[in-house]
Amino acid sequence: MSDKTVCGCCEKTTVRSDEERTKLIHRLNRIEGQIRGIRKMVEKDAYCADILIQSAAVNAAVNAFNRELLASHIRGCVARDIRDGKDDVIDELVVTLQKLMK
């Protein structure tokens, strides 16, 4: 996992293995399907409590996605940058964690 400069600007990207990318995309596809299901429930005037339960399931799925991506980020990007003496990655991680914990 390495950062690379995109189009000469300072945006960071992460190179992922095909396996990791596929795993993350499958999780996102399931979440997308859950969201479509909730929309259909609303369109069909489903009972509020049933919709809320499905919404909670989506939140749990997004949290699981975030945990997996965060673990990968710490093990890969953050660890590499710290080894390379780029300690500013720690501040970036703290900001990211603060946003995730809102």
Side-chain angles (χ1 to χ4, degrees):
M1 287 179 239
S2 64
D3 289 341
K4 59 184 177 181
T5 303
V6 180
C7 302
C9 62
C10 58
E11 291 185 39
K12 293 181 180 181
T13 63
T14 300
V15 177
R16 293 181 179 80
S17 69
D18 288 340
E19 179 183 345
E20 182 182 8
R21 184 180 308 105
T22 299
K23 192 175 181 181
L24 291 171
I25 288 172
H26 283 170
R27 280 186 178 272
L28 290 170
N29 287 340
R30 284 192 299 273
I31 292 166
E32 184 179 20
Q34 288 175 297
I35 294 291
R36 282 194 307 270
I38 291 171
R39 185 181 62 224
K40 288 177 185 176
M41 291 175 79
V42 171
E43 290 169 350
K44 293 180 179 182
D45 294 327
Y47 187 58
C48 297
D50 294 337
I51 296 170
L52 289 167
I53 289 168
Q54 292 305 310
S55 178
V58 169
N59 284 331
V62 170
N63 287 337
F65 173 84
N66 287 342
R67 282 191 302 272
E68 186 172 325
L69 189 57
L70 180 61
S72 174
H73 179 58
I74 292 170
R75 288 186 186 106
C77 304
V78 173
R80 180 202 58 240
D81 284 354
I82 290 171
R83 281 192 299 271
D84 291 346
K86 299 176 185 174
D87 292 338
D88 58 318
V89 73
I90 295 169
D91 294 331
E92 178 186 78
L93 178 60
V94 169
V95 168
T96 300
L97 289 171
Q98 289 170 339
K99 289 179 181 179
L100 285 172
M101 293 179 176
K102 282 186 176 182

